[in-house]
Amino acid sequence: MFHTPGSDEAPLPLPYTGFEFDSAQRLPLLLCLDTSSSLAKNGAIASLNTALASWAHSLENDMVLGATVDIALITFGGSGHITVWQGDTALGPTAPTWPLSPFVPAHEFRPPQLRALGVTLLDRALRLAMEVVADYKAGLRAAGLTYYRPQICLVTDGYPSDEGGRFSYSYRDLLPELRKAEEERRFRLFAVGVGEQLSGAQAVLEELAPEYNAWLDGFPFELVLKVMSHSAQATQDGADEAEIRQIFARLKTRRGGGQVPA
């Protein structure tokens, strides 16, 4: 699904200076990643950093996704609680507005080296992710560019908290807006849980993304990112919702330490 722009044009975001679009539709993909202290255990944050670096390399060598997909990153955890990234550059707790943007062409994406600490302000991070995607879509329209339905990939320990680290139901304030966004096809939200599944964690994912939620044993971040790439490719190829669900189901069928081919 893509938007047909009007005739008004605006400056392109700075990462695109000198970049040849060839009138390609853009596919915004935003990663919203939990980097709270729970990922400091069992080598989880090291696995995440390795997976991001490997994924970036694969995108650099993928002529189709590398030239069409635009990537932004938001992390929640750490001393600053929430960080917006433009590649490996930290922009702070908020995102700039067009023509500045945290999105970069996938073939130019260079991931930061992430650290695990702090609490899980999931609701704030996801709200910011929604705002970043909405602003980027508006900027693309103003610049005369078309886009496919954006993807937001939320990866978390499934235990949203307040600033004191206590479980918080404030994520439920987002649910009406998420349901409306689904109805209007503003973006597609994938919610993936990793690590030890605490009581109620699965229910959080199911509430946030009824169609696209999964809980994974361990920390198979490479598989998650590979599925995001396949979903992006399928979206470009005009796949319907049933086909996207089939791709995402590859995560749900994963058991134990086994791998499901993507």
Side-chain angles (χ1 to χ4, degrees):
M1 178 181 180
F2 62 93
H3 175 88
T4 302
S7 58
D8 294 338
E9 293 192 0
L12 295 178
L14 294 186
Y16 290 119
T17 302
F19 182 70
E20 179 57 57
F21 280 99
D22 292 328
S23 301
Q25 296 166 20
R26 314 309 303 158
L27 201 165
L29 169 55
L30 189 148
L31 302 178
C32 191
L33 305 181
D34 187 343
T35 56
S36 62
S37 57
S38 63
L39 270 78
K41 306 171 185 176
N42 303 315
I45 197 67
S47 295
L48 177 57
N49 283 319
T50 298
L52 285 170
S54 176
W55 188 56
H57 181 70
S58 70
L59 290 173
E60 185 177 359
N61 291 285
D62 188 315
M63 295 297 290
V64 177
L65 294 183
T68 306
V69 174
D70 297 335
I71 296 175
L73 173 63
I74 292 176
T75 56
F76 50 108
S79 57
H81 296 315
I82 295 174
T83 304
V84 180
W85 300 85
Q86 184 188 67
D88 58 1
T89 301
L91 301 179
T94 59
T97 55
W98 190 276
L100 300 174
S101 174
F103 281 95
V104 297
H107 71 283
E108 295 181 3
F109 176 65
R110 301 294 180 270
Q113 193 71 14
L114 301 174
R115 299 173 57 213
L117 70 158
V119 295
T120 312
L121 300 181
L122 184 153
D123 60 315
R124 299 188 198 177
L126 185 52
R127 182 176 295 280
L128 180 58
M130 294 162 64
E131 293 171 354
V132 167
V133 167
D135 179 74
Y136 195 58
K137 287 164 61 179
L140 290 174
R141 290 195 298 268
L145 298 172
T146 60
Y147 56 81
Y148 297 92
R149 185 177 179 183
Q151 296 183 179
I152 297 176
C153 180
L154 171 70
V155 182
T156 178
D157 64 7
Y159 193 84
S161 67
D162 58 20
E163 292 189 4
R166 297 173 293 271
F167 186 89
S168 171
Y169 285 102
S170 56
Y171 72 90
R172 287 180 171 169
D173 294 340
L174 294 173
L175 298 184
E177 189 171 351
L178 285 172
R179 299 295 84 81
K180 185 176 181 181
E182 289 169 5
E183 182 181 342
E184 297 176 354
R185 302 174 64 83
R186 294 184 212 160
F187 54 80
R188 186 179 287 113
L189 174 63
F190 302 93
V192 180
V194 294
E196 180 185 0
Q197 185 176 154
L198 301 176
S199 177
Q202 178 67 46
V204 172
L205 303 183
E206 291 172 353
E207 286 185 87
L208 290 171
E211 293 292 329
Y212 297 103
N213 66 83
W215 196 278
L216 306 184
D217 298 326
F219 303 96
F221 297 113
E222 287 194 12
L223 177 60
V224 175
L225 294 172
K226 188 179 292 185
V227 167
M228 289 303 103
S229 288
H230 279 249
S231 176
Q233 179 66 69
T235 298
Q236 288 179 281
D237 292 341
D240 59 21
E241 213 61 27
E243 292 173 276
I244 301 297
R245 278 194 289 267
Q246 267 191 333
I247 292 170
F248 187 75
R250 294 172 183 172
L251 291 178
K252 289 192 171 187
T253 55
R254 183 183 187 276
R255 293 290 183 269
Q259 288 287 341
V260 176

